[in-house]
Amino acid sequence: MNASENDVSFKSLLADFTAITKARLAVSVVFSSIAGYLLGFSDLNPFSWATLVLLTIGGYCMVGASNVFNQVIEKDLDALMNRTKNRPVPSGKMSVRNAFILGCILTIVGLGILYSINPKTAMFGAISIFLYTSVYTPLKTITPLAVFVGAFPGAIPYMLGWVAATNDFDVEAGTLFLIQFFWQFPHFWAIGWFLFDDYQKGGFFMLPTGKKDKKTALQIILYTCWLILASLLPVTGFTGELKLSYVSGAIVLLLGLWMLLYAVKLYNKMDAAAARKLMLVSVSYISLLQIIYIIDKFIR
């Protein structure tokens, strides 16, 4: 095999690894963990570059493992949907055996790295992988409550960073968990809305009523309101060391009202375009909120 063939082979393997671990999603999740860590370190728990690097690598392995196992379990269903049929396993680019081995390696390496930070971080990482692969994934073809179950592992990364920094799960970590927990619902229901037809091909139940109706749209609005309230809790001073100034709180409120506006637009328009816009706004919302929290900590 010449150098050119080796280069092509490496690029192909990298592309498959990126696809099966859902690299873009994994990076966004790891960003949440990094944000949680930056909020959690203090004079009592000093900042450590080594810990941050370990959290980044271990976090990626944790998310990657969950995504790999998910695709192994859903390979036949993925083959039925346009958005997933070209993934490595359903397309035949990667065998089920190799994908399973990769998932196991990522799990062992990821949890080992997180354990080196502290045992609590590894424990929450393990809980996340278990809930995502063993509970959320099977429930997706059974009940819309799968989104509720999936919101638990989905909310862990933000508070995982705080636990990595403090070796403790307290009101601060619980608040970060709560914020990302409520965020899951409008975000994933928006995705379930504009990909409704594709999800139906795979037999997935992603919307709370099972239909693109006013009741689903209303629930999206209600959970967005809960998200806004949860995001403002640090302003009250009742969330321990996790604090937010009034100015930053006002900015967070405006962000929330921006997202709520698009939730209301979906209720009024009831179409895929409005749902897609809400999804994009929700991604911007959670990223900007985390950045605002971090900036507020350093300038307060």
Side-chain angles (χ1 to χ4, degrees), residues 139-219:
L139 282 178
K140 286 164 66 180
T141 57
I142 298 173
T143 172
L145 287 174
V147 174
F148 173 77
V149 174
F152 284 89
I156 285 176
Y158 196 16
M159 67 85 165
L160 192 72
W162 186 282
V163 175
T166 64
N167 192 24
D168 195 14
F169 179 85
D170 41 27
V171 65
E172 296 92 346
T175 302
L176 296 179
F177 177 90
L178 193 66
I179 292 169
Q180 199 139 352
F181 178 79
F182 283 124
W183 174 82
Q184 306 282 318
F185 295 94
H187 175 72
F188 283 103
W189 283 338
I191 294 174
W193 190 296
F194 73 79
L195 291 176
F196 183 81
D197 294 337
D198 214 25
Y199 275 126
Q200 274 199 318
K201 294 176 185 176
F204 293 125
F205 297 93
M206 301 302 290
L207 297 181
T209 66
K211 297 180 289 186
K212 297 185 291 183
D213 57 12
K214 288 288 187 181
K215 289 182 180 179
T216 288
L218 181 60
Q219 289 198 51

Side-chain angles (χ1 to χ4, degrees), residues 14-287:
L14 182 60
D16 289 343
F17 178 81
T18 300
I20 201 166
T21 58
K22 297 184 183 177
R24 285 194 299 177
L25 171 63
V27 168
S28 69
V29 172
V30 169
F31 178 81
S32 293
S33 294
I34 292 172
Y37 179 80
L38 293 177
L39 291 171
F41 83 87
S42 62
D43 292 338
L44 186 62
N45 301 289
F47 176 84
S48 167
W49 279 109
T51 300
L52 189 60
V53 170
L54 290 172
L55 178 64
T56 300
I57 298 172
Y60 189 97
C61 288
M62 177 190 76
V63 181
S66 298
N67 290 329
V68 171
F69 289 134
N70 171 267
Q71 290 174 63
V72 168
I73 295 168
E74 294 181 348
K75 60 180 175 59
D76 294 329
L77 300 178
D78 281 348
L80 302 175
M81 298 184 289
N82 293 330
R83 72 183 189 89
T84 56
K85 64 184 180 182
N86 292 320
R87 286 175 174 172
V89 177
S91 67
K93 296 176 184 176
M94 184 180 294
S95 68
V96 171
R97 177 178 175 274
N98 288 344
F100 181 76
I101 291 172
L102 175 61
C104 291
I105 292 172
L106 288 171
T107 300
I108 294 169
V109 172
L111 293 182
I113 290 173
L114 294 181
Y115 188 85
S116 71
I117 297 174
N118 60 60
K120 287 189 179 72
T121 303
M123 179 190 70
F124 283 117
I127 290 172
S128 177
I129 294 172
F130 173 78
L131 287 177
Y132 190 87
T133 59
S134 301
V135 186
Y136 165 69
T137 295
L139 282 178
K140 286 164 66 180
T141 57
I142 298 173
T143 172
L145 287 174
V147 174
F148 173 77
V149 174
F152 284 89
I156 285 176
Y158 196 16
M159 67 85 165
L160 192 72
W162 186 282
V163 175
T166 64
N167 192 24
D168 195 14
F169 179 85
D170 41 27
V171 65
E172 296 92 346
T175 302
L176 296 179
F177 177 90
L178 193 66
I179 292 169
Q180 199 139 352
F181 178 79
F182 283 124
W183 174 82
Q184 306 282 318
F185 295 94
H187 175 72
F188 283 103
W189 283 338
I191 294 174
W193 190 296
F194 73 79
L195 291 176
F196 183 81
D197 294 337
D198 214 25
Y199 275 126
Q200 274 199 318
K201 294 176 185 176
F204 293 125
F205 297 93
M206 301 302 290
L207 297 181
T209 66
K211 297 180 289 186
K212 297 185 291 183
D213 57 12
K214 288 288 187 181
K215 289 182 180 179
T216 288
L218 181 60
Q219 289 198 51
I220 289 174
I221 290 174
L222 291 175
Y223 275 87
T224 301
C225 290
W226 283 116
L227 168 63
I228 294 171
L229 292 175
S231 299
L232 292 172
L233 282 176
V235 177
T236 66
F238 293 112
T239 53
E241 295 302 312
L242 181 65
K243 297 180 174 65
L244 196 65
S245 67
Y246 289 122
V247 173
S248 294
I251 297 172
V252 167
L253 175 59
L254 290 174
L255 272 180
L257 293 175
W258 176 51
M259 183 166 163
L260 181 61
L261 172 64
Y262 280 88
V264 172
K265 284 184 177 181
L266 175 58
Y267 182 85
N268 291 330
K269 295 183 178 180
M270 301 289 290
D271 61 16
R276 185 182 292 274
K277 287 179 181 177
L278 173 59
M279 183 275 291
L280 293 172
V281 168
S282 71
V283 172
S284 298
Y285 171 86
I286 197 67
S287 299

